[in-house]
Amino acid sequence: MDERMPSPIEDYALIGDCRTAALIARDGSIDWLCLPRFDSASTFGALLGDDTHGRWLLAPAGVVVETSRHYLDDTFVLVTRWVTATGEAEVTEFMPRGDHHTDVVRRVRGVRGSVEFTHELSVRFDYAAALPWMRQTTSGHGRHALVAIAGPDALCVRGGPRLHANGDSHRASFTVTEGEVVDLELRWFASHRETPGPLDVDTALDATVAWWREWAARCSPTPGYRDEVHRSLLVLRALSHSDTGGIVAAVTTSLPEQFGGSRNWDYRYVWLRDAALTLHVLLDHGFTDEAQSWRGWLLRAIAGDPEDVQIMYGIAGERRLTEREIDSLPGYDGASPVRVGNDAFEQYQADVFGEVMIALREARRVGIEETRFSWPLQRALMTVVEANWQRPDNGIWEVRGPLRHFTHSRVMLWAAVDCAIEAVDVHGLDGPVDRWRRLRSAIRDEIEAHGFDAERGTYTQYYGSTGVDASLLQLAQVGYLEATDPRMLGTVAAIESELMTEGVLARYSTDGGVDGLEGGEHPFLCCSFWLVEQYARSGRVDDARTLMERLLSFANDVGLLSEEYDVGAGRQAGNTPQALTHLTLVRAADAIAAAAAGIPAVTHG
């Protein structure tokens, strides 16, 4: 039998427990799960290879007539309905919340007639490099379990008929009739611990649904886009680690930016930029507890010499994220190499100072009190800004080419200083405000002298360049200038002319080799959502709505968006689900709603 290849990226739905997450294909196969954290080695890695690299299949054995799926409202509890020639059944899948274990539950319920299910388990720890020792056991609870152990990892699977060895996997089949329920459960545990007992599935399901809905109920709605905004905010919460407060950029590594190419990166870490922007949209929608948690994470992660601040960290604040290639996984549909770790942690990206200072300012604006350390932390960041504001950097897109004076980076440094000045002037905190005012003016003067092409009426990607960059759309967002300023409108026109492809924006032109990488990429969705926001802020509300609807059509059937989109092929690309995509979706929706209501645009500045 031919090995099954991974499904299209848009075919995957996510379930998670705010510590890790599983990706489930429409055909019922869990193809990606890292245990027990987002950044742990994969246990099921078929997403980056085929089913021999680990998966957990649960699907009808016969011909499927119809498949549909949805999340229970305002949760990450996935319900898939299968219709076959002999009947209909429903599978409810979730990762329980709050029990301090890492579990996956798959509940099968017969709806009508009878449906035979195939149950197949292929466990491959350590990115498919470790084939586990499997043993059948009966616990003191009187329930049969299949236990897999390799090195530090172990898991047990219970429920349904006994699984039998079939080569390097284990298989079983069972049939459900109307009203019949079969519960399957997987529990990860450290191999030196005792095998955990079985779950009370009813209690776990009720508690998980209640937790997600209680969290979602705190959300202030966005008129016109309630469902899309709620789902995106839920995605951002699912990407936030409940114990540490770290917010990962995505749950995957090495899903390609170009199919068959080598632009494959590990996004299972906490970028200061993405986390700060996520915090901002959560605050906009009433989630202040998350701000407290993230600020605590930030204080711990960057504690020490402010000169050592990194642009990204591990989930608990780990500093060393050395990048390496994994030979045991061949890559998604031939895109290689598969990378674990990300050498971008060693880059200098000046814009992160602006994003962090903006996020902390927004927390202050909504009434979150400064702690003993939070303002001293910001003062320390300002010492780094003052000492390094003229340094070239790698820019927001983490280019691996020559360091440059990226215009977006300079504007974000301006925004960092602007935030510090406000803290003194408005909130009465202490700091050398006169010196900061002079620095803010100096940065602006430099940007206008070297980052603006007066002849063409546009800001440029970096000093001395002629091209533009979609990140320049953030200039109005951070208050550097108004969205209706002629310089901003000229920049928008240049971006539309140079970066618009099939109705969506590229980040920048890859033809000039600015990023030091081979090959191209598909349009990054966050850039087009930035353009929606700019349209709405500058009075082009109809254009904003039109582009917004186009972008929302790229979401999959359960509302998830990846990093990029291949418009020609009509498929998602890049790591998924992507925090930056979903948070910019929320901002775009909020901007349209504000414009429709006649509310003046509110900038960070």
Side-chain angles (χ1 to χ4, degrees), residues 294-338:
W294 181 80
R295 190 171 63 178
W297 177 91
L298 180 68
L299 288 168
R300 296 189 302 272
I302 69 176
D305 189 340
E307 289 286 346
D308 295 333
V309 171
Q310 298 180 182
I311 61 102
M312 60 185 293
Y313 296 85
I315 293 169
E318 297 90 347
R319 304 178 69 88
R320 189 162 296 280
L321 308 175
T322 304
E323 188 175 298
R324 64 191 190 279
E325 297 181 3
I326 300 295
D327 295 334
S328 52
L329 292 173
Y332 179 88
D333 199 17
S336 63
V338 170

Side-chain angles (χ1 to χ4, degrees), residues 56 119-123 133-139 143-149 154-159 161-165 169-171 185-187 189 195:
W56 186 13
H119 180 200
E120 180 177 322
L121 180 73
S122 299
V123 181
W133 171 52
M134 310 287 290
R135 62 186 175 91
Q136 307 276 2
T137 183
T138 302
S139 68
R143 294 182 60 183
H144 175 266
L146 179 66
V147 177
I149 295 177
L155 57 81
C156 63
V157 176
R158 293 187 176 91
R162 179 188 294 259
L163 287 157
H164 294 281
S169 65
H170 283 71
R171 293 175 62 92
E185 61 184 69
L186 178 152
R187 310 200 77 181
F189 60 102
T195 303

